[in-house]
Amino acid sequence: MSDSLSLRDRYLELIDKIVQATLKGQIRSKEQVYKMLVEGVSPGTGEIFERCLGDRIATTQRQTETQGDEFKQAKAVRSLRALQTIRGEWERWQEQNQATEALTRAIQQIVTAETGDRLHTFLKLTDPNRAQALTLSQLQRLAKTLQQQSAQPEATTDANAQQELQQLSQGLTQGLTSWQRLEDHLVSWIYEQGRGQLGFEGVPGQRGPWALWAKQVNSPMPQSLFQALSLEKSVVEWAASQSTNLDLSALVELVVVLRCLQQGLVNWFDKLVYDSKVGAKLSISTFLAFAVIWSQLATGIRQAAIAISQTNLGDGCSQLTLQILRTFAQRDYFPLYGGIFASFSGEYLRNALDYLDEPLRRAEGTQEKARILTLLGYSFRAQGRVEQSVAFHQQALEVAREAGDRPCEVANLNHLSRTCIAQTSYAEAINYSQRAVILSRQAGDRLGEANALANLGYSEVFQAQQLEQAEPEVYESAIDRLQQGLQLSEKLGDRQSQALCLSSLGIVQVALDQAQAAIAYLEGGIQAAQFSGDLYLQGINLAYLAEAYHRLQNPAQAIHAGCLGMYLLEQIASNTWRQTAGLLTVIRGQLGDEAFQTNLQQQRPAIISVIGVDGYDHLPTLLERYKTE
């Protein structure tokens, strides 16, 4: 007790000393105040100092309000200003001290981590979703300290541990150096393309940021990855081919470079005040693009892994995918009706769910989990993994309901409706979509209502067909709901929902043998899906467009649309590509091989303009796979 009292007296004396020195003009800068605080406050006693400072401020504040003597009141006002300066510098010291403590803890956790677990520990400590994620300046200090630790035999007797520490240090140092070379070129590619061509899309090797960044960076690993991306080569195949070069050091360098690029682009796009919709679209594209890159890197590394250390690298890439998605889920423009087509299975799926459980320890984090599960559920449905999709959406529905996230709850009812349609459970699909219509209207969720109306009309048409109800009024009522959904989505300007509504109307017209009417809807759906970046909806629209042209006996256009749809669906691992391959096989059987090849060759320029030469050359392989699998 006496020690506490003496410490309190000492801190009150320190505060008064700084105030008096300020009033006498002996202290002329905030740095002098900061230095006196650093020298005068003992570690671990900040709470006592804060109470003393708070008492002095409260007392002096009362003096400024009650003092009748003009001279004493003026002195009290000056004293209060000095005390406020002390409080400001104390807060700065606390912030810097907390950063130092965070770095010290990070170093300790990395150094003492088990061999093989240091990458996971590093990624966890640098997770941007953490309250105290390490900054770039802290990463520089971390790299230097880890280098020193690896050079000290007494720090650890484990040779593997020393090697990991050294590789972490090298990766950090090289990553920060590479980022310095790229920082000034973060958005220059946008100005070169012009405002009308913003985004990552473009002619392979000529458009987008990757080719420019590849020229600026001089480190082999990021340069090679950027070149592969600029030429639209498979990231999975690139990662597998780099298995002998991709070690802990190289991966950490990619972590620093890609994370800085992604965060820098999102920050820049979020500030596009001249067109907030364009900015949001580009931010969404950036989040999804980088999440997909890390997901594909994980797949490629695991495919080529021949050692536990390489498997750990693949796990780290999956960890980064989830970190991006969790950050993304906190943005108000997070798409509840889109997907990323990331592949998680087995142990990696369990790891993903374990990571997503982490936000549940904080009440405000439940919404993040629900939204990520929604995104993954959509992706699994697109890939044909229906049971997993249903499980994700059911879990997301429960979490969203607990979190009070009505738009997310409506979205999952809509997704479950769509999944039931895929399973031909039309009565259940109608039930989900009706619940979505009611809940969306109660919550004022117009976007959810547009999707719910589209799903309701869509499922009603197919239920009527299943029950062989040919009455025109049944179909007219259902199509009217689809039209309502389309009109609402157009009014909202949501291209993702427009794509769904147009696609639904087009597919319904195909089902009703109204091929000519279907074409206009499907072509509109393709344009809307391209704008929103939804490859699944693009592929589905193209697949049914091919069916419509086939029914109109227009084989050239059927082959064109079918090849594009088949390729895009296969690229995102959607089993639906086989349906389109089957149609193309039927067309080839009707035309004969020679006539089919002639038509395909005539469509070559149009096909290449969308999927490139490599995509075109891959088409015969897909058709052969369909025949043999």
Side-chain angles (χ1 to χ4, degrees), residues 148-170:
Q148 293 170 347
Q149 291 278 348
S150 67
Q152 296 174 0
E154 66 275 10
T156 174
T157 57
D158 187 342
N160 290 328
Q162 289 181 348
Q163 183 182 30
E164 284 187 354
L165 293 175
Q166 186 175 25
Q167 288 186 342
L168 271 170
S169 174
Q170 290 174 346

Side-chain angles (χ1 to χ4, degrees), residues 329-347:
Q330 299 170 49
R331 303 302 174 104
D332 56 6
Y333 47 68
F334 182 83
L336 289 169
Y337 296 94
I340 61 160
F341 314 110
S343 178
F344 295 100
S345 59
E347 181 183 350

Side-chain angles (χ1 to χ4, degrees), residues 366-378:
T366 54
Q367 181 175 333
E368 299 169 19
K369 179 173 183 178
R371 292 185 170 227
I372 296 172
L373 290 173
T374 305
L375 196 72
L376 294 176
Y378 179 95

Side-chain angles (χ1 to χ4, degrees), residues 295-308:
S295 176
Q296 292 175 336
L297 286 171
T299 301
I301 291 171
R302 287 170 188 149
Q303 285 180 358
I306 56 176
I308 293 295

Side-chain angles (χ1 to χ4, degrees), residues 21 42 166 208 321 323 449 480 550:
S42 303
Q166 186 175 25
T321 302
Q323 289 179 0
E449 182 184 353
D480 183 60
H550 175 57

Side-chain angles (χ1 to χ4, degrees), residues 349 353 373-374 376-377 380 385-398 412 416 419:
L349 181 58
L353 295 175
L373 290 173
T374 305
L376 294 176
F380 280 128
R385 298 159 70 180
V386 178
E387 290 183 4
Q388 285 177 302
S389 173
V390 170
F392 272 115
H393 286 308
Q394 290 285 10
Q395 188 177 1
L397 185 63
E398 293 175 11
N412 281 283
L416 286 166
T419 304

Side-chain angles (χ1 to χ4, degrees), residues 103 107 110 134 138-146 172:
L103 181 59
I107 293 168
I110 291 173
L134 300 182
Q138 287 176 309
L139 290 180
Q140 290 177 326
R141 293 166 62 189
L142 176 62
K144 184 176 180 180
T145 305
L146 292 179
L172 284 168

Side-chain angles (χ1 to χ4, degrees), residues 208-342:
W210 307 115
L212 172 65
W213 291 342
K215 294 175 183 177
Q216 299 303 324
V217 71
N218 60 2
S219 184
M221 194 59 66
Q223 186 177 67
S224 176
L225 175 60
F226 293 161
Q227 287 171 343
L229 288 166
S230 73
L231 296 172
E232 296 187 358
K233 292 184 177 179
S234 166
V235 175
V236 175
E237 293 177 5
W238 177 87
S241 71
Q242 296 291 325
S243 58
T244 56
N245 302 320
L246 195 58
D247 58 8
L248 178 59
S249 173
L251 186 68
V252 170
E253 179 185 0
L254 287 179
V255 171
V256 175
V257 171
L258 292 179
R259 182 176 277 159
C260 287
L261 287 171
Q262 174 224 316
Q263 292 176 339
L265 286 172
V266 169
N267 289 338
W268 195 83
F269 291 145
D270 282 351
K271 294 175 183 176
L272 288 183
V273 293
Y274 66 85
D275 193 334
S276 59
K277 289 185 178 180
V278 170
K281 176 182 180 292
L282 293 173
S283 292
I284 291 170
S285 297
T286 302
F287 274 119
L288 294 180
F290 281 86
V292 168
I293 288 171
W294 282 116
S295 176
Q296 292 175 336
L297 286 171
T299 301
I301 291 171
R302 287 170 188 149
Q303 285 180 358
I306 56 176
I308 293 295
S309 60
Q310 292 172 319
T311 302
N312 289 339
L313 298 183
D315 293 346
C317 293
S318 290
Q319 193 175 346
L320 287 155
T321 302
L322 287 168
Q323 289 179 0
I324 292 172
L325 293 180
R326 187 169 161 198
T327 304
F328 186 26
Q330 299 170 49
R331 303 302 174 104
D332 56 6
Y333 47 68
F334 182 83
L336 289 169
Y337 296 94
I340 61 160
F341 314 110

